[in-house]
Amino acid sequence: MEERPAQPAARTVAIRAGSTTYPFTLASGQLDRAVTWREAAGSARTLAVITSRPVAALFPRILQATGTAGPRQLVIEVPDGEAAKTLDVVSRCYQALARARFTRSDLVIALGGGTVTDLAGFVASTWKRGTRLLHAPTTLLALVDASVGGKTGINLADGKNLVGTFHQPERVLADATVLPSLPARELRSGLAEVIKCGFIADPAILNFLPDRVRGPAQQSERYRRLIEMSVRAKAQLLADDVADRGTRRYLNYGHTAGQALETASGFSLRHGEAVALGMVFAARICELITAADGTVTDTRDVLYQVGLPTRLDTAVSFDHVWALMQQDKKVSPGRPSFVLSPRRGTAILVPMPQRRTAQQAFDEVLRPV
Ligand code: GLY
């Protein structure tokens, strides 16, 4: 049954990131309105829309919305997925900005998923030592995670996100009407980040997850609420820790093993699927090193409810995953860097588990049966 009220009201979450505050505005259809883009442009004479071809094809009206009287528009098409996050693509973006004589008062618009917001954020933060940035996320993952908090990142052959900056957008235009156009697997992948927020911060999220049988068009109000709840949870954790030294690290729940699994699988696992498995792994570590009981079962039940994986179904070796997990330790040597959620809505930081504990957890809860 359709849950959407006739005219859902716009909702705004104020994102405070240290001394900066910006609006995350969730409003249906706003990406398709010329007035949105005219207002957002402000004094910009040029808008640089960084986007991928599939997204540009899905939202052609956005790219025409400013009209002839508005600012000049430059569309920089980048590859889809992780292939966007390379220094070659960054260099192509710089060349396009240089040709357009793009200034610091012009506006970079990231229109796309998390790889586009990561790339465009990096370009905006480094062009002329920092230019204006707006995020228009078009995947659930980008709506609830990548568009909020100002992390940017580029991959090198040695690993994901090894080069990056913190650069906050001046606003996020969130429009949940993009969700029905997403492939089911992409949507589920985004739900892993929503579930993560439930385990580390707001347990109400876990009682409000969508029904896996019906699509986002039939549960649109539920999705909007989940986006808002997740963004509020994330905003609280980063408000006083933009640089990722304290509570913001809780957002890494499931990611230490998850990112290693994603890479070790040769990216056959999507980010959210790998994070789901990383949460199962973290739940078992939690049972092994604290008195917590039942966290694996609880985690698996929640993931199963939305159709996310709860065990590996491809051959990935523990040695490979373990080697990749060590990269996290190198970011801030000596600091506790592994996140546990001993019960719904709470998170703690502990040192990386010992190799033998990690191997036990991997064998017990992840290895294909
Ligand atoms: N994606 C986690 C963070 O923004 O800190």
Side-chain angles (χ1 to χ4, degrees):
M1 206 176 74
E2 174 60 71
E3 292 176 14
R4 187 172 50 179
Q7 281 193 313
R11 296 164 196 173
T12 299
V13 181
I15 310 291
R16 183 168 71 76
S19 56
T20 311
T21 301
Y22 54 93
F24 176 100
T25 308
L26 185 58
S28 296
Q30 64 177 333
L31 296 189
D32 241 355
R33 285 185 209 120
V35 64
T36 307
W37 298 102
R38 274 201 299 273
E39 272 172 28
S43 61
R45 285 197 291 191
T46 305
L47 308 181
V49 184
I50 301 186
T51 191
S52 66
R53 188 179 292 254
V55 176
L58 270 177
F59 304 104
R61 285 183 52 203
I62 299 174
L63 306 176
Q64 299 153 6
T66 51
T68 47
R72 196 163 52 122
Q73 199 177 88
L74 171 71
V75 178
I76 307 178
E77 243 181 51
V78 298
D80 202 23
E82 292 293 322
K85 293 173 54 173
T86 67
L87 290 172
D88 272 355
V89 176
V90 170
S91 165
R92 276 208 293 112
C93 292
Y94 291 153
Q95 283 162 18
L97 296 181
R99 277 196 299 272
R101 300 184 191 284
F102 200 81
T103 71
R104 289 174 70 173
S105 48
D106 290 330
L107 179 67
V108 171
I109 296 170
L111 171 67
T115 54
V116 167
T117 56
D118 280 5
L119 163 78
F122 183 76
V123 169
S125 73
T126 46
W127 180 255
K128 300 199 170 167
R129 301 199 177 87
T131 184
R132 297 172 54 204
L133 171 68
L134 178 152
H135 284 319
T138 61
T139 63
L140 183 58
L141 188 141
L143 279 160
V144 299
D145 190 49
S147 65
V148 173
K151 278 191 181 172
T152 81
I154 296 298
N155 303 332
L156 301 182
D158 292 311
K160 266 188 89 173
N161 295 331
L162 286 184
V163 182
T165 54
F166 291 103
H167 187 66
Q168 303 297 334
E170 60 184 38
R171 64 176 65 187
V172 182
L173 297 178
D175 186 346
T177 54
V178 301
L179 298 181
S181 64
L182 296 176
R185 198 173 166 199
E186 173 63 48
L187 192 70
R188 281 198 298 273
S189 179
L191 282 171
E193 298 286 358
V194 171
I195 289 170
K196 175 196 80 180
C197 290
F199 276 114
I200 62 171
D202 182 358
I205 289 174
L206 303 176
N207 296 325
F208 200 67
L209 292 171
D211 170 344
R212 68 192 280 183
V213 181
R214 294 180 305 160
Q218 285 79 42
Q219 308 174 78
S220 50
E221 178 54 20
R222 185 172 294 264
Y223 272 94
R224 273 194 293 274
R225 290 269 307 274
L226 284 169
I227 291 167
E228 187 182 353
M229 289 160 101
S230 305
V231 167
R232 283 193 193 284
K234 178 166 184 176
Q236 264 193 353
L237 294 173
L238 72 86
D240 293 311
D241 183 29
V242 180
D244 212 5
R245 298 202 161 85
T247 53
R248 184 169 187 166
R249 288 182 164 211
Y250 297 168
L251 293 160
N252 241 0
Y253 184 56
H255 283 63
T256 309
Q259 276 171 352
L261 288 162
E262 187 184 0
T263 307
S265 75
F267 295 92
S268 67
L269 285 171
R270 294 192 77 90
H271 180 73
E273 292 165 345
V275 168
L277 296 171
M279 289 192 279
V280 176
F281 175 82
R284 184 61 188 138
I285 295 285
C286 191
E287 290 179 347
L288 292 173
I289 69 174
T290 74
D293 197 17
T295 50
V296 170
T297 305
D298 189 32
T299 307
R300 282 196 163 138
D301 285 351
V302 169
L303 296 172
Y304 180 78
Q305 197 184 322
V306 299
L308 277 163
T310 60
R311 191 178 271 282
L312 269 169
D313 64 2
T314 46
V316 170
S317 86
F318 171 76
D319 288 345
H320 192 186
V321 172
W322 179 250
L324 290 162
M325 278 172 64
Q326 302 314 300
Q327 277 195 354
D328 257 39
K329 266 209 311 213
K330 291 180 208 142
V331 177
S332 313
R335 282 177 188 273
S337 59
F338 196 81
V339 189
L340 300 179
S341 170
R343 55 177 196 284
R344 290 179 170 204
T346 59
I348 55 171
L349 284 172
V350 296
M352 277 285 277
Q354 299 290 319
R355 183 189 163 103
R356 81 170 173 279
T357 313
Q359 171 120 43
Q360 183 183 345
F362 184 90
D363 288 345
E364 287 175 355
V365 297
L366 290 188
R367 200 181 280 289
V369 279

